[in-house]
Amino acid sequence: MQTSVAVTFKADYMRRITDDTGIFQHTKFGVPDRSKGYTTDDNARALIAAVLLYNKDQDSGSLDLIHTYLSFIHHAQNEQGNFRNFMDYSRSFLEDSGSEDCQGRTLWALGFALSYSSILPDNLLNTCRYLINQALPHIEKLGSPRAVAYAVVGLSYLIKTPGALTYSFPYPHTPSTAEEKAFLSKDFITGLIERIAVRLHNQYNRTKGDGWNWYEDSLTYGNSMLPWALLRAFKLSGNAALKHTAKESLDFLASRTFAREGYYKPIGSHGWLLRGGEPALYDEQPIEACEMLLTCREAASVLQDPSYLQQADLCYAWYTGHNSLNLPLIDPQSGACYDGIHSSGLNLNQGSESIISFSIAHLVTHHG
């Protein structure tokens, strides 16, 4: 019998694996592994979690985390506007520019932070606007479907949030530098979202067929971001084709990830699911449950179908024991999240991606 257990959400663990540079990428069980350093990917996702934490408590500790993660992202942006990703413990970046997915994830985080403009200080919001403004010239060049999806989700917050596109200056300050005078154009952002979302939709139509309703010939990582992006693009554009593709592809993904026994089972990262094949059983990763939860909640709203909320609840229950092992992934002592489910049981490491994913899932479910 599948069961869930009550878990106590604790913000302490995420603070514990964050230093004055940023959040560590990996841990050895629960101790930060300094040899693995940091990534912009993790600090961007941590920014989302920290904003949600601050929205819940509005305490200085959460605001300090926001400052730390946003400072990391600012340092990660190169002169051309792209974001570097991997940084070693000596604070040296290991590449000139990160992956396309890194660019998209960072835009997601920055756009999300701007959607909380009513509670965040203007100086943080201005930093988010500046970083997005510098990155804009590169977005339409993104080729990775997931990078495009992350970017669409992030940019859509700018259109839906009043004041998100304009810099704020304390009276009686008058903008003087070119940097301060920079601004984001609503028409440009809207057009960009529609163009790259249609590209994603067209890729779907080229690939689907024979019962395979997907954008590629495989289901790998971050799958739910693709229909989520089209749902958000539909809300802005009213393009019914985007809505149809989002629903059809999300339902296909759900058919491959919700077990007949009634629990969520993400595609295993040890082999994924190739077209015409069977899904890999392991490893199940916490980030997949988080992103699927967010997508299903969006679908419930956009498609006006409460059954997607039930799927979102199953994604949350994956963390609390309603999963293929019937074991909770939350450490009751530390509040950390284990790194997933693999063939021999729980992965007892407790890295940043895992606790960030659970934190977002918990805060959106209980305080969103």
Side-chain angles (χ1 to χ4, degrees), residues 132-242:
I132 293 174
N133 202 53
Q134 299 302 102
L136 280 179
H138 305 282
I139 295 174
E140 202 154 3
K141 302 172 187 174
L142 295 173
S144 160
R146 284 158 190 79
V148 168
Y150 285 119
V152 166
V153 171
L155 294 174
S156 67
Y157 288 111
L158 305 182
I159 307 301
K160 288 295 186 179
T161 305
L165 291 166
T166 55
Y167 282 87
S168 302
F169 301 100
Y171 181 84
H173 176 79
T174 301
S176 57
T177 67
E179 180 177 309
E180 288 178 341
K181 290 179 181 176
F183 64 93
L184 301 169
S185 163
K186 181 176 181 179
D187 289 342
F188 177 80
I189 297 296
T190 302
L192 176 59
I193 290 172
E194 292 181 7
R195 287 194 300 275
I196 63 177
V198 167
R199 273 174 39 201
L200 200 58
H201 161 74
N202 290 341
Q203 180 169 340
Y204 174 81
N205 283 332
R206 287 193 298 269
T207 307
K208 75 168 188 174
D210 298 324
W212 181 265
N213 295 328
W214 199 244
Y215 307 79
E216 302 167 302
D217 288 326
S218 59
L219 284 168
T220 56
Y221 65 95
N223 299 302
S224 64
M225 295 301 301
L226 307 180
W228 186 17
L230 294 189
L231 288 170
R232 293 193 68 86
F234 162 71
K235 286 169 65 177
L236 294 176
S237 67
N239 185 336
L242 301 181

Side-chain angles (χ1 to χ4, degrees), residues 151-359:
V152 166
V153 171
L155 294 174
S156 67
Y157 288 111
L158 305 182
I159 307 301
K160 288 295 186 179
T161 305
L165 291 166
T166 55
Y167 282 87
S168 302
F169 301 100
Y171 181 84
H173 176 79
T174 301
S176 57
T177 67
E179 180 177 309
E180 288 178 341
K181 290 179 181 176
F183 64 93
L184 301 169
S185 163
K186 181 176 181 179
D187 289 342
F188 177 80
I189 297 296
T190 302
L192 176 59
I193 290 172
E194 292 181 7
R195 287 194 300 275
I196 63 177
V198 167
R199 273 174 39 201
L200 200 58
H201 161 74
N202 290 341
Q203 180 169 340
Y204 174 81
N205 283 332
R206 287 193 298 269
T207 307
K208 75 168 188 174
D210 298 324
W212 181 265
N213 295 328
W214 199 244
Y215 307 79
E216 302 167 302
D217 288 326
S218 59
L219 284 168
T220 56
Y221 65 95
N223 299 302
S224 64
M225 295 301 301
L226 307 180
W228 186 17
L230 294 189
L231 288 170
R232 293 193 68 86
F234 162 71
K235 286 169 65 177
L236 294 176
S237 67
N239 185 336
L242 301 181
K243 177 183 177 182
H244 174 77
T245 294
K247 174 174 170 50
E248 189 173 76
S249 59
L250 178 57
D251 290 347
F252 173 75
L253 177 61
S255 73
R256 299 299 191 272
T257 53
F258 288 96
R260 294 176 183 173
E261 295 81 3
Y263 57 87
Y264 176 64
K265 184 171 176 54
I267 304 294
S269 63
H270 191 64
W272 306 117
L273 169 58
L274 304 181
R275 189 170 189 162
E278 294 296 323
L281 298 178
Y282 306 104
D283 296 342
E284 302 177 39
Q285 298 185 335
I287 192 171
E288 304 300 332
C290 173
E291 292 181 351
M292 188 64 165
L293 181 152
L294 297 173
T295 301
C296 288
R297 288 176 67 91
E298 188 81 56
S301 172
V302 174
L303 303 176
Q304 295 294 294
D305 185 345
S307 68
Y308 290 105
L309 283 180
Q310 297 172 7
Q311 292 181 337
D313 289 343
L314 288 176
C315 291
Y316 180 77
W318 180 87
Y319 295 100
T320 63
H322 194 49
N323 53 48
S324 59
L325 282 187
N326 204 24
L327 289 174
L329 276 87
I330 308 307
D331 181 346
Q333 294 178 321
S334 67
C337 179
Y338 296 115
D339 276 357
I341 296 174
H342 57 195
S343 58
S344 59
L346 292 177
N347 181 341
L348 297 181
N349 285 320
Q350 301 171 346
S352 61
E353 184 180 281
S354 303
I355 187 57
I356 292 166
S357 298
F358 173 67
S359 297

Side-chain angles (χ1 to χ4, degrees), residues 82-102:
N82 282 319
F83 298 96
R84 297 169 290 184
N85 193 15
F86 292 97
M87 175 192 277
D88 64 22
Y89 186 60
S90 66
R91 299 182 178 178
S92 297
F93 278 102
L94 305 178
E95 62 207 341
D96 295 328
S97 181
S99 68
E100 288 196 350
D101 286 0
C102 174

